[in-house]
Amino acid sequence: MEESAFPDERLELNFTCCHPALATDLQVALTLRTLGGLKTDEIARAFLVSEATMAQRLVRAKRKIKAAGIPFRIPPAHLLPDRLIAVLAVVYLIFNEGYDGRGELAAEAIRLGSSLVELMPDEPEVLGLFALMLLNDSRSAARFREGEFVLLADQDRTLWNQAQIETGRAALGRATALRGRGPYVLQAAIALLHAEDTRDWSQIAALYTELAQLTGSPVIELNRAVAVAEAEGLEVGLQAMDELSELDSYHYFHAARADLLRRLDRRAEARAAYTRALELAHSEPERRFLTARLVALQAAAGR
């Protein structure tokens, strides 16, 4: 390919690493490890598997590359769409790791997203991912206060980056105009609803329902249950969460259940759920947040 075909060398390397001879999840994991700046345990958390399982997957992927003689070669332009799903997943998971505290990774992911838009300006999912990252990152300055985690509902909206929100809104509008209705477009639409002054929980729940049907992801089902709890009632949301037993090793699952149980005044169950979330959480601000919730529950029980 001509040198000018890729607007960014790192993006070029991502397309090179994401070889379709490997399963998509292996393409993503190996590229995250090789180029994305993520450690094996961080990649394992993103895939909801143990570190040992992910290490084995990475070893198997490397062996397959060697045995099959898979070349490390820049793909021609007409083959880029075959690799796009994996590249989008790589960029999004880099962003998520950065959003959880490693800010330099979030900035790198947004830069890669911008380069993707330059490379493939008429691809709705590229625009959707770019919009999603901008909309989520726009709240980064408000997510922590004096080192403590702040829930979205409690954030100081004056700290939100309005320029990023408007750029994200425009990218989402372009994706929608191109009839985009893929996973990243839907997630960006949800993120934009969260940026409105009043959140339309029914619409958010409806979008999560559509997204869950597309992806089959239990994490998406968890987010849908949270929205359902707000739109239709705490008990309804809790019932939906309780059907997601496969998320037992996912700390956000237990934290979300704990919040609903606390609001339903089921304190003993809430304490158990917060305790389990605390056991699984890795981020220190999140651990302090969960600990504070536990302390508040114990104090309430003593009154």
Side-chain angles (χ1 to χ4, degrees):
M1 296 180 67
E2 301 214 354
E3 193 173 327
S4 61
F6 276 94
D8 181 281
E9 187 179 55
R10 179 68 73 86
L11 182 62
E12 179 182 78
L13 287 171
N14 273 280
F15 272 99
T16 302
C17 280
C18 290
H19 197 287
L22 295 172
T24 301
D25 61 339
L26 292 180
Q27 294 176 46
V28 173
L30 196 58
T31 306
L32 286 170
R33 187 71 186 90
T34 307
L35 294 175
L38 272 66
K39 301 174 184 175
T40 302
D41 63 325
E42 294 170 331
I43 300 169
R45 287 200 299 274
F47 280 85
L48 302 182
V49 299
S50 69
E51 183 177 354
T53 297
M54 181 51 65
Q56 290 172 353
R57 289 183 185 179
L58 291 170
V59 168
R60 285 198 299 270
K62 291 175 185 177
R63 285 175 181 164
K64 179 170 183 178
I65 289 171
K66 185 175 181 180
I70 296 173
F72 188 77
R73 184 183 301 141
I74 299 169
H78 71 279
L79 293 181
L80 295 186
D82 295 340
R83 305 190 181 202
L84 182 60
I85 291 174
V87 170
L88 290 174
V90 167
V91 174
Y92 187 41
L93 290 174
I94 291 173
F95 175 80
N96 280 345
E97 192 62 33
Y99 192 64
D100 282 340
R102 295 176 62 183
E104 77 283 358
L105 288 180
E108 169 70 4
I110 290 172
R111 190 179 65 78
L112 287 170
S114 177
S115 296
L116 267 170
V117 170
E118 185 178 344
L119 180 68
M120 308 175 86
D122 296 323
E123 174 52 56
E125 283 291 84
V126 168
L127 291 159
L129 175 59
F130 185 51
L132 173 61
M133 293 189 296
L134 286 173
L135 290 166
N136 283 339
D137 193 64
S138 70
R139 302 192 296 265
S140 60
R143 291 185 72 231
F144 298 93
R145 185 182 301 126
E146 297 179 356
E148 300 304 318
F149 180 70
V150 182
L151 293 174
L152 193 151
D154 300 324
Q155 289 175 9
D156 179 356
R157 286 175 171 248
T158 64
L159 297 176
W160 289 6
N161 187 322
Q162 293 299 322
Q164 277 189 313
I165 291 172
E166 292 311 312
T167 304
R169 189 192 302 273
L172 177 59
R174 168 81 174 145
T176 304
L178 290 166
R179 300 182 182 276
R181 204 69 183 176
Y184 294 109
V185 172
L186 290 174
Q187 288 178 84
I190 292 167
L192 186 58
L193 286 171
H194 280 301
E196 302 295 345
D197 291 337
T198 301
R199 283 185 279 180
D200 185 340
W201 285 109
S202 294
Q203 181 63 19
I204 292 171
L207 287 170
Y208 270 127
T209 298
E210 185 178 348
L211 185 58
Q213 290 169 348
L214 269 181
T215 65
S217 165
V219 174
I220 297 299
E221 288 285 4
L222 174 62
N223 286 318
R224 187 189 75 83
V226 171
V228 166
E230 300 297 338
E232 301 179 27
L234 302 181
E235 291 280 7
V236 181
L238 184 61
Q239 183 177 356
M241 282 184 197
D242 286 341
E243 296 174 2
L244 302 172
S245 58
E246 65 267 49
L247 293 179
D248 185 61
S249 62
Y250 187 54
H251 82 275
Y252 289 121
F253 167 67
H254 296 284
R257 281 192 76 250
D259 182 62
L260 296 189
L261 290 164
R262 176 186 63 84
R263 292 163 65 188
L264 287 165
D265 205 29
R266 291 161 59 174
R267 295 176 185 174
E269 293 171 88
R271 280 197 298 273
Y274 276 127
T275 300
R276 178 65 175 146
L278 188 57
E279 290 170 356
L280 296 168
H282 294 274
S283 160
E284 280 306 314
E286 287 182 346
R287 289 179 60 81
R288 289 194 297 270
F289 174 84
L290 293 168
T291 299
R293 282 291 168 93
L294 267 173
V295 169
L297 273 176
Q298 288 163 354
R303 288 200 293 268

PDB file of all heavy atoms in Angstrom, residues 16-51:
ATOM      1  N   THR A  16      -2.424  -4.841  10.834  1.00  0.00           N
ATOM      2  CA  THR A  16      -1.478  -5.903  10.479  1.00  0.00           C
ATOM      3  C   THR A  16      -1.572  -7.069  11.456  1.00  0.00           C
ATOM      4  O   THR A  16      -1.558  -8.237  11.061  1.00  0.00           O
ATOM      5  CB  THR A  16      -0.041  -5.341  10.462  1.00  0.00           C
ATOM      6  OG1 THR A  16       0.032  -4.263   9.518  1.00  0.00           O
ATOM      7  CG2 THR A  16       0.962  -6.408  10.074  1.00  0.00           C
ATOM      8  N   CYS A  17      -1.694  -6.769  12.752  1.00  0.00           N
ATOM      9  CA  CYS A  17      -1.755  -7.814  13.779  1.00  0.00           C
ATOM     10  C   CYS A  17      -3.073  -8.583  13.747  1.00  0.00           C
ATOM     11  O   CYS A  17      -3.109  -9.765  14.095  1.00  0.00           O
ATOM     12  CB  CYS A  17      -1.562  -7.204  15.162  1.00  0.00           C
ATOM     13  SG  CYS A  17       0.160  -6.880  15.572  1.00  0.00           S
ATOM     14  N   CYS A  18      -4.151  -7.937  13.382  1.00  0.00           N
ATOM     15  CA  CYS A  18      -5.473  -8.577  13.407  1.00  0.00           C
ATOM     16  C   CYS A  18      -5.664  -9.418  12.142  1.00  0.00           C
ATOM     17  O   CYS A  18      -6.358  -9.016  11.207  1.00  0.00           O
ATOM     18  CB  CYS A  18      -6.571  -7.521  13.542  1.00  0.00           C
ATOM     19  SG  CYS A  18      -6.598  -6.726  15.157  1.00  0.00           S
ATOM     20  N   HIS A  19      -5.036 -10.580  12.138  1.00  0.00           N
ATOM     21  CA  HIS A  19      -5.072 -11.449  10.959  1.00  0.00           C
ATOM     22  C   HIS A  19      -6.287 -12.367  11.025  1.00  0.00           C
ATOM     23  O   HIS A  19      -6.494 -13.064  12.019  1.00  0.00           O
ATOM     24  CB  HIS A  19      -3.790 -12.275  10.863  1.00  0.00           C
ATOM     25  CG  HIS A  19      -3.570 -12.876   9.509  1.00  0.00           C
ATOM     26  ND1 HIS A  19      -4.318 -13.938   9.042  1.00  0.00           N
ATOM     27  CD2 HIS A  19      -2.714 -12.536   8.506  1.00  0.00           C
ATOM     28  CE1 HIS A  19      -3.922 -14.238   7.822  1.00  0.00           C
ATOM     29  NE2 HIS A  19      -2.948 -13.412   7.470  1.00  0.00           N
ATOM     30  N   PRO A  20      -7.107 -12.435   9.966  1.00  0.00           N
ATOM     31  CA  PRO A  20      -8.346 -13.213  10.010  1.00  0.00           C
ATOM     32  C   PRO A  20      -8.136 -14.726  10.092  1.00  0.00           C
ATOM     33  O   PRO A  20      -9.112 -15.467  10.282  1.00  0.00           O
ATOM     34  CB  PRO A  20      -9.056 -12.824   8.711  1.00  0.00           C
ATOM     35  CG  PRO A  20      -7.985 -12.296   7.819  1.00  0.00           C
ATOM     36  CD  PRO A  20      -6.965 -11.677   8.708  1.00  0.00           C
ATOM     37  N   ALA A  21      -6.897 -15.207   9.964  1.00  0.00           N
ATOM     38  CA  ALA A  21      -6.656 -16.645  10.136  1.00  0.00           C
ATOM     39  C   ALA A  21      -6.840 -17.065  11.591  1.00  0.00           C
ATOM     40  O   ALA A  21      -7.036 -18.241  11.888  1.00  0.00           O
ATOM     41  CB  ALA A  21      -5.251 -17.010   9.666  1.00  0.00           C
ATOM     42  N   LEU A  22      -6.772 -16.107  12.502  1.00  0.00           N
ATOM     43  CA  LEU A  22      -7.030 -16.358  13.920  1.00  0.00           C
ATOM     44  C   LEU A  22      -8.478 -16.014  14.240  1.00  0.00           C
ATOM     45  O   LEU A  22      -9.073 -15.138  13.610  1.00  0.00           O
ATOM     46  CB  LEU A  22      -6.105 -15.504  14.798  1.00  0.00           C
ATOM     47  CG  LEU A  22      -4.602 -15.773  14.727  1.00  0.00           C
ATOM     48  CD1 LEU A  22      -3.869 -14.709  15.519  1.00  0.00           C
ATOM     49  CD2 LEU A  22      -4.268 -17.154  15.254  1.00  0.00           C
ATOM     50  N   ALA A  23      -9.038 -16.693  15.238  1.00  0.00           N
ATOM     51  CA  ALA A  23     -10.370 -16.320  15.727  1.00  0.00           C
ATOM     52  C   ALA A  23     -10.339 -14.871  16.212  1.00  0.00           C
ATOM     53  O   ALA A  23      -9.308 -14.383  16.688  1.00  0.00           O
ATOM     54  CB  ALA A  23     -10.788 -17.243  16.861  1.00  0.00           C
ATOM     55  N   THR A  24     -11.477 -14.187  16.086  1.00  0.00           N
ATOM     56  CA  THR A  24     -11.514 -12.757  16.402  1.00  0.00           C
ATOM     57  C   THR A  24     -11.049 -12.467  17.829  1.00  0.00           C
ATOM     58  O   THR A  24     -10.279 -11.525  18.056  1.00  0.00           O
ATOM     59  CB  THR A  24     -12.940 -12.205  16.196  1.00  0.00           C
ATOM     60  OG1 THR A  24     -13.335 -12.425  14.840  1.00  0.00           O
ATOM     61  CG2 THR A  24     -12.980 -10.708  16.480  1.00  0.00           C
ATOM     62  N   ASP A  25     -11.490 -13.285  18.812  1.00  0.00           N
ATOM     63  CA  ASP A  25     -11.082 -13.005  20.186  1.00  0.00           C
ATOM     64  C   ASP A  25      -9.573 -13.156  20.365  1.00  0.00           C
ATOM     65  O   ASP A  25      -8.952 -12.428  21.149  1.00  0.00           O
ATOM     66  CB  ASP A  25     -11.851 -13.888  21.174  1.00  0.00           C
ATOM     67  CG  ASP A  25     -11.618 -15.365  20.960  1.00  0.00           C
ATOM     68  OD1 ASP A  25     -11.209 -15.758  19.856  1.00  0.00           O
ATOM     69  OD2 ASP A  25     -11.852 -16.144  21.910  1.00  0.00           O
ATOM     70  N   LEU A  26      -8.950 -14.088  19.606  1.00  0.00           N
ATOM     71  CA  LEU A  26      -7.498 -14.244  19.684  1.00  0.00           C
ATOM     72  C   LEU A  26      -6.786 -13.092  18.986  1.00  0.00           C
ATOM     73  O   LEU A  26      -5.742 -12.623  19.455  1.00  0.00           O
ATOM     74  CB  LEU A  26      -7.068 -15.582  19.072  1.00  0.00           C
ATOM     75  CG  LEU A  26      -7.486 -16.837  19.823  1.00  0.00           C
ATOM     76  CD1 LEU A  26      -6.992 -18.080  19.111  1.00  0.00           C
ATOM     77  CD2 LEU A  26      -6.949 -16.813  21.262  1.00  0.00           C
ATOM     78  N   GLN A  27      -7.328 -12.630  17.860  1.00  0.00           N
ATOM     79  CA  GLN A  27      -6.762 -11.449  17.209  1.00  0.00           C
ATOM     80  C   GLN A  27      -6.724 -10.271  18.182  1.00  0.00           C
ATOM     81  O   GLN A  27      -5.709  -9.590  18.317  1.00  0.00           O
ATOM     82  CB  GLN A  27      -7.616 -11.044  16.000  1.00  0.00           C
ATOM     83  CG  GLN A  27      -7.652 -12.007  14.838  1.00  0.00           C
ATOM     84  CD  GLN A  27      -8.615 -11.501  13.778  1.00  0.00           C
ATOM     85  OE1 GLN A  27      -8.596 -10.319  13.417  1.00  0.00           O
ATOM     86  NE2 GLN A  27      -9.479 -12.368  13.282  1.00  0.00           N
ATOM     87  N   VAL A  28      -7.853 -10.067  18.850  1.00  0.00           N
ATOM     88  CA  VAL A  28      -7.978  -8.927  19.769  1.00  0.00           C
ATOM     89  C   VAL A  28      -7.017  -9.075  20.939  1.00  0.00           C
ATOM     90  O   VAL A  28      -6.273  -8.143  21.277  1.00  0.00           O
ATOM     91  CB  VAL A  28      -9.433  -8.798  20.259  1.00  0.00           C
ATOM     92  CG1 VAL A  28      -9.541  -7.733  21.340  1.00  0.00           C
ATOM     93  CG2 VAL A  28     -10.359  -8.473  19.101  1.00  0.00           C
ATOM     94  N   ALA A  29      -7.012 -10.249  21.566  1.00  0.00           N
ATOM     95  CA  ALA A  29      -6.165 -10.460  22.744  1.00  0.00           C
ATOM     96  C   ALA A  29      -4.686 -10.297  22.408  1.00  0.00           C
ATOM     97  O   ALA A  29      -3.929  -9.642  23.140  1.00  0.00           O
ATOM     98  CB  ALA A  29      -6.428 -11.848  23.333  1.00  0.00           C
ATOM     99  N   LEU A  30      -4.264 -10.892  21.301  1.00  0.00           N
ATOM    100  CA  LEU A  30      -2.855 -10.835  20.932  1.00  0.00           C
ATOM    101  C   LEU A  30      -2.429  -9.412  20.567  1.00  0.00           C
ATOM    102  O   LEU A  30      -1.331  -8.972  20.916  1.00  0.00           O
ATOM    103  CB  LEU A  30      -2.593 -11.790  19.761  1.00  0.00           C
ATOM    104  CG  LEU A  30      -1.139 -12.151  19.487  1.00  0.00           C
ATOM    105  CD1 LEU A  30      -0.498 -12.790  20.714  1.00  0.00           C
ATOM    106  CD2 LEU A  30      -1.045 -13.102  18.292  1.00  0.00           C
ATOM    107  N   THR A  31      -3.299  -8.691  19.892  1.00  0.00           N
ATOM    108  CA  THR A  31      -2.968  -7.312  19.523  1.00  0.00           C
ATOM    109  C   THR A  31      -2.922  -6.416  20.760  1.00  0.00           C
ATOM    110  O   THR A  31      -2.051  -5.540  20.870  1.00  0.00           O
ATOM    111  CB  THR A  31      -3.991  -6.765  18.506  1.00  0.00           C
ATOM    112  OG1 THR A  31      -4.064  -7.665  17.394  1.00  0.00           O
ATOM    113  CG2 THR A  31      -3.591  -5.395  18.012  1.00  0.00           C
ATOM    114  N   LEU A  32      -3.834  -6.640  21.700  1.00  0.00           N
ATOM    115  CA  LEU A  32      -3.801  -5.871  22.949  1.00  0.00           C
ATOM    116  C   LEU A  32      -2.492  -6.112  23.691  1.00  0.00           C
ATOM    117  O   LEU A  32      -1.905  -5.194  24.265  1.00  0.00           O
ATOM    118  CB  LEU A  32      -4.980  -6.263  23.839  1.00  0.00           C
ATOM    119  CG  LEU A  32      -6.354  -5.751  23.411  1.00  0.00           C
ATOM    120  CD1 LEU A  32      -7.439  -6.411  24.246  1.00  0.00           C
ATOM    121  CD2 LEU A  32      -6.444  -4.238  23.544  1.00  0.00           C
ATOM    122  N   ARG A  33      -2.040  -7.364  23.692  1.00  0.00           N
ATOM    123  CA  ARG A  33      -0.804  -7.701  24.411  1.00  0.00           C
ATOM    124  C   ARG A  33       0.413  -7.162  23.695  1.00  0.00           C
ATOM    125  O   ARG A  33       1.361  -6.676  24.320  1.00  0.00           O
ATOM    126  CB  ARG A  33      -0.689  -9.230  24.560  1.00  0.00           C
ATOM    127  CG  ARG A  33       0.481  -9.678  25.433  1.00  0.00           C
ATOM    128  CD  ARG A  33       0.205  -9.347  26.901  1.00  0.00           C
ATOM    129  NE  ARG A  33       1.343  -9.630  27.750  1.00  0.00           N
ATOM    130  CZ  ARG A  33       2.317  -8.766  28.037  1.00  0.00           C
ATOM    131  NH1 ARG A  33       2.277  -7.536  27.521  1.00  0.00           N
ATOM    132  NH2 ARG A  33       3.307  -9.087  28.841  1.00  0.00           N
ATOM    133  N   THR A  34       0.408  -7.230  22.356  1.00  0.00           N
ATOM    134  CA  THR A  34       1.577  -6.861  21.572  1.00  0.00           C
ATOM    135  C   THR A  34       1.693  -5.353  21.378  1.00  0.00           C
ATOM    136  O   THR A  34       2.784  -4.787  21.490  1.00  0.00           O
ATOM    137  CB  THR A  34       1.518  -7.539  20.184  1.00  0.00           C
ATOM    138  OG1 THR A  34       1.323  -8.942  20.357  1.00  0.00           O
ATOM    139  CG2 THR A  34       2.795  -7.314  19.404  1.00  0.00           C
ATOM    140  N   LEU A  35       0.556  -4.705  21.101  1.00  0.00           N
ATOM    141  CA  LEU A  35       0.579  -3.285  20.742  1.00  0.00           C
ATOM    142  C   LEU A  35      -0.166  -2.380  21.707  1.00  0.00           C
ATOM    143  O   LEU A  35       0.110  -1.188  21.766  1.00  0.00           O
ATOM    144  CB  LEU A  35      -0.046  -3.095  19.349  1.00  0.00           C
ATOM    145  CG  LEU A  35       0.676  -3.687  18.142  1.00  0.00           C
ATOM    146  CD1 LEU A  35      -0.179  -3.488  16.907  1.00  0.00           C
ATOM    147  CD2 LEU A  35       2.028  -3.031  17.960  1.00  0.00           C
ATOM    148  N   GLY A  36      -1.139  -2.943  22.416  1.00  0.00           N
ATOM    149  CA  GLY A  36      -2.072  -2.098  23.151  1.00  0.00           C
ATOM    150  C   GLY A  36      -1.604  -1.606  24.496  1.00  0.00           C
ATOM    151  O   GLY A  36      -2.273  -0.786  25.123  1.00  0.00           O
ATOM    152  N   GLY A  37      -0.473  -2.113  24.964  1.00  0.00           N
ATOM    153  CA  GLY A  37       0.026  -1.664  26.262  1.00  0.00           C
ATOM    154  C   GLY A  37      -0.681  -2.301  27.437  1.00  0.00           C
ATOM    155  O   GLY A  37      -0.542  -1.837  28.571  1.00  0.00           O
ATOM    156  N   LEU A  38      -1.437  -3.381  27.195  1.00  0.00           N
ATOM    157  CA  LEU A  38      -2.158  -4.047  28.285  1.00  0.00           C
ATOM    158  C   LEU A  38      -1.408  -5.302  28.727  1.00  0.00           C
ATOM    159  O   LEU A  38      -0.824  -6.017  27.906  1.00  0.00           O
ATOM    160  CB  LEU A  38      -3.572  -4.442  27.848  1.00  0.00           C
ATOM    161  CG  LEU A  38      -4.668  -3.378  28.038  1.00  0.00           C
ATOM    162  CD1 LEU A  38      -4.426  -2.193  27.127  1.00  0.00           C
ATOM    163  CD2 LEU A  38      -6.039  -3.974  27.770  1.00  0.00           C
ATOM    164  N   LYS A  39      -1.459  -5.558  30.025  1.00  0.00           N
ATOM    165  CA  LYS A  39      -0.857  -6.770  30.578  1.00  0.00           C
ATOM    166  C   LYS A  39      -1.851  -7.919  30.462  1.00  0.00           C
ATOM    167  O   LYS A  39      -3.048  -7.715  30.249  1.00  0.00           O
ATOM    168  CB  LYS A  39      -0.477  -6.539  32.043  1.00  0.00           C
ATOM    169  CG  LYS A  39       0.521  -5.394  32.246  1.00  0.00           C
ATOM    170  CD  LYS A  39       0.731  -5.130  33.725  1.00  0.00           C
ATOM    171  CE  LYS A  39       1.648  -3.926  33.931  1.00  0.00           C
ATOM    172  NZ  LYS A  39       1.778  -3.573  35.370  1.00  0.00           N
ATOM    173  N   THR A  40      -1.333  -9.136  30.651  1.00  0.00           N
ATOM    174  CA  THR A  40      -2.177 -10.318  30.489  1.00  0.00           C
ATOM    175  C   THR A  40      -3.370 -10.293  31.449  1.00  0.00           C
ATOM    176  O   THR A  40      -4.492 -10.639  31.073  1.00  0.00           O
ATOM    177  CB  THR A  40      -1.354 -11.601  30.697  1.00  0.00           C
ATOM    178  OG1 THR A  40      -0.263 -11.611  29.762  1.00  0.00           O
ATOM    179  CG2 THR A  40      -2.202 -12.848  30.481  1.00  0.00           C
ATOM    180  N   ASP A  41      -3.143  -9.873  32.704  1.00  0.00           N
ATOM    181  CA  ASP A  41      -4.255  -9.853  33.665  1.00  0.00           C
ATOM    182  C   ASP A  41      -5.306  -8.825  33.288  1.00  0.00           C
ATOM    183  O   ASP A  41      -6.513  -9.039  33.494  1.00  0.00           O
ATOM    184  CB  ASP A  41      -3.744  -9.615  35.088  1.00  0.00           C
ATOM    185  CG  ASP A  41      -3.074  -8.259  35.261  1.00  0.00           C
ATOM    186  OD1 ASP A  41      -2.417  -7.794  34.309  1.00  0.00           O
ATOM    187  OD2 ASP A  41      -3.206  -7.655  36.345  1.00  0.00           O
ATOM    188  N   GLU A  42      -4.889  -7.705  32.694  1.00  0.00           N
ATOM    189  CA  GLU A  42      -5.844  -6.689  32.261  1.00  0.00           C
ATOM    190  C   GLU A  42      -6.677  -7.194  31.081  1.00  0.00           C
ATOM    191  O   GLU A  42      -7.887  -6.957  31.016  1.00  0.00           O
ATOM    192  CB  GLU A  42      -5.098  -5.405  31.864  1.00  0.00           C
ATOM    193  CG  GLU A  42      -4.414  -4.724  33.043  1.00  0.00           C
ATOM    194  CD  GLU A  42      -3.480  -3.601  32.629  1.00  0.00           C
ATOM    195  OE1 GLU A  42      -2.932  -3.666  31.511  1.00  0.00           O
ATOM    196  OE2 GLU A  42      -3.290  -2.663  33.426  1.00  0.00           O
ATOM    197  N   ILE A  43      -6.033  -7.908  30.159  1.00  0.00           N
ATOM    198  CA  ILE A  43      -6.764  -8.482  29.022  1.00  0.00           C
ATOM    199  C   ILE A  43      -7.735  -9.546  29.526  1.00  0.00           C
ATOM    200  O   ILE A  43      -8.880  -9.631  29.058  1.00  0.00           O
ATOM    201  CB  ILE A  43      -5.778  -9.090  28.004  1.00  0.00           C
ATOM    202  CG1 ILE A  43      -4.829  -8.005  27.481  1.00  0.00           C
ATOM    203  CG2 ILE A  43      -6.526  -9.727  26.827  1.00  0.00           C
ATOM    204  CD1 ILE A  43      -3.662  -8.550  26.674  1.00  0.00           C
ATOM    205  N   ALA A  44      -7.296 -10.353  30.488  1.00  0.00           N
ATOM    206  CA  ALA A  44      -8.163 -11.402  31.042  1.00  0.00           C
ATOM    207  C   ALA A  44      -9.419 -10.796  31.650  1.00  0.00           C
ATOM    208  O   ALA A  44     -10.526 -11.315  31.456  1.00  0.00           O
ATOM    209  CB  ALA A  44      -7.397 -12.206  32.098  1.00  0.00           C
ATOM    210  N   ARG A  45      -9.280  -9.689  32.379  1.00  0.00           N
ATOM    211  CA  ARG A  45     -10.462  -9.037  32.972  1.00  0.00           C
ATOM    212  C   ARG A  45     -11.408  -8.540  31.885  1.00  0.00           C
ATOM    213  O   ARG A  45     -12.631  -8.621  32.021  1.00  0.00           O
ATOM    214  CB  ARG A  45     -10.035  -7.876  33.875  1.00  0.00           C
ATOM    215  CG  ARG A  45      -9.408  -8.303  35.185  1.00  0.00           C
ATOM    216  CD  ARG A  45      -9.472  -7.183  36.211  1.00  0.00           C
ATOM    217  NE  ARG A  45      -8.765  -5.988  35.799  1.00  0.00           N
ATOM    218  CZ  ARG A  45      -7.464  -5.780  35.998  1.00  0.00           C
ATOM    219  NH1 ARG A  45      -6.737  -6.709  36.580  1.00  0.00           N
ATOM    220  NH2 ARG A  45      -6.899  -4.663  35.607  1.00  0.00           N
ATOM    221  N   ALA A  46     -10.848  -8.035  30.786  1.00  0.00           N
ATOM    222  CA  ALA A  46     -11.693  -7.541  29.688  1.00  0.00           C
ATOM    223  C   ALA A  46     -12.506  -8.673  29.065  1.00  0.00           C
ATOM    224  O   ALA A  46     -13.635  -8.462  28.610  1.00  0.00           O
ATOM    225  CB  ALA A  46     -10.826  -6.873  28.620  1.00  0.00           C
ATOM    226  N   PHE A  47     -11.948  -9.887  29.054  1.00  0.00           N
ATOM    227  CA  PHE A  47     -12.631 -11.039  28.465  1.00  0.00           C
ATOM    228  C   PHE A  47     -13.367 -11.869  29.508  1.00  0.00           C
ATOM    229  O   PHE A  47     -13.940 -12.914  29.182  1.00  0.00           O
ATOM    230  CB  PHE A  47     -11.619 -11.926  27.723  1.00  0.00           C
ATOM    231  CG  PHE A  47     -11.244 -11.420  26.360  1.00  0.00           C
ATOM    232  CD1 PHE A  47     -10.239 -10.469  26.203  1.00  0.00           C
ATOM    233  CD2 PHE A  47     -11.884 -11.882  25.227  1.00  0.00           C
ATOM    234  CE1 PHE A  47      -9.889 -10.003  24.949  1.00  0.00           C
ATOM    235  CE2 PHE A  47     -11.533 -11.422  23.967  1.00  0.00           C
ATOM    236  CZ  PHE A  47     -10.537 -10.476  23.825  1.00  0.00           C
ATOM    237  N   LEU A  48     -13.343 -11.426  30.772  1.00  0.00           N
ATOM    238  CA  LEU A  48     -14.020 -12.128  31.868  1.00  0.00           C
ATOM    239  C   LEU A  48     -13.537 -13.569  32.017  1.00  0.00           C
ATOM    240  O   LEU A  48     -14.329 -14.491  32.221  1.00  0.00           O
ATOM    241  CB  LEU A  48     -15.547 -12.102  31.677  1.00  0.00           C
ATOM    242  CG  LEU A  48     -16.213 -10.727  31.577  1.00  0.00           C
ATOM    243  CD1 LEU A  48     -17.720 -10.882  31.437  1.00  0.00           C
ATOM    244  CD2 LEU A  48     -15.856  -9.855  32.756  1.00  0.00           C
ATOM    245  N   VAL A  49     -12.216 -13.757  31.902  1.00  0.00           N
ATOM    246  CA  VAL A  49     -11.619 -15.072  32.139  1.00  0.00           C
ATOM    247  C   VAL A  49     -10.455 -14.895  33.103  1.00  0.00           C
ATOM    248  O   VAL A  49     -10.025 -13.777  33.391  1.00  0.00           O
ATOM    249  CB  VAL A  49     -11.124 -15.731  30.828  1.00  0.00           C
ATOM    250  CG1 VAL A  49     -12.276 -15.953  29.859  1.00  0.00           C
ATOM    251  CG2 VAL A  49     -10.019 -14.904  30.167  1.00  0.00           C
ATOM    252  N   SER A  50      -9.915 -16.028  33.597  1.00  0.00           N
ATOM    253  CA  SER A  50      -8.786 -15.955  34.526  1.00  0.00           C
ATOM    254  C   SER A  50      -7.513 -15.586  33.771  1.00  0.00           C
ATOM    255  O   SER A  50      -7.410 -15.769  32.548  1.00  0.00           O
ATOM    256  CB  SER A  50      -8.582 -17.299  35.223  1.00  0.00           C
ATOM    257  OG  SER A  50      -8.123 -18.272  34.299  1.00  0.00           O
ATOM    258  N   GLU A  51      -6.531 -15.081  34.519  1.00  0.00           N
ATOM    259  CA  GLU A  51      -5.250 -14.726  33.897  1.00  0.00           C
ATOM    260  C   GLU A  51      -4.591 -15.955  33.276  1.00  0.00           C
ATOM    261  O   GLU A  51      -4.009 -15.885  32.184  1.00  0.00           O
ATOM    262  CB  GLU A  51      -4.329 -14.094  34.940  1.00  0.00           C
ATOM    263  CG  GLU A  51      -2.998 -13.616  34.367  1.00  0.00           C
ATOM    264  CD  GLU A  51      -2.122 -12.920  35.386  1.00  0.00           C
ATOM    265  OE1 GLU A  51      -2.595 -12.692  36.524  1.00  0.00           O
ATOM    266  OE2 GLU A  51      -0.964 -12.618  35.051  1.00  0.00           O
TER     267      GLU A  51
END
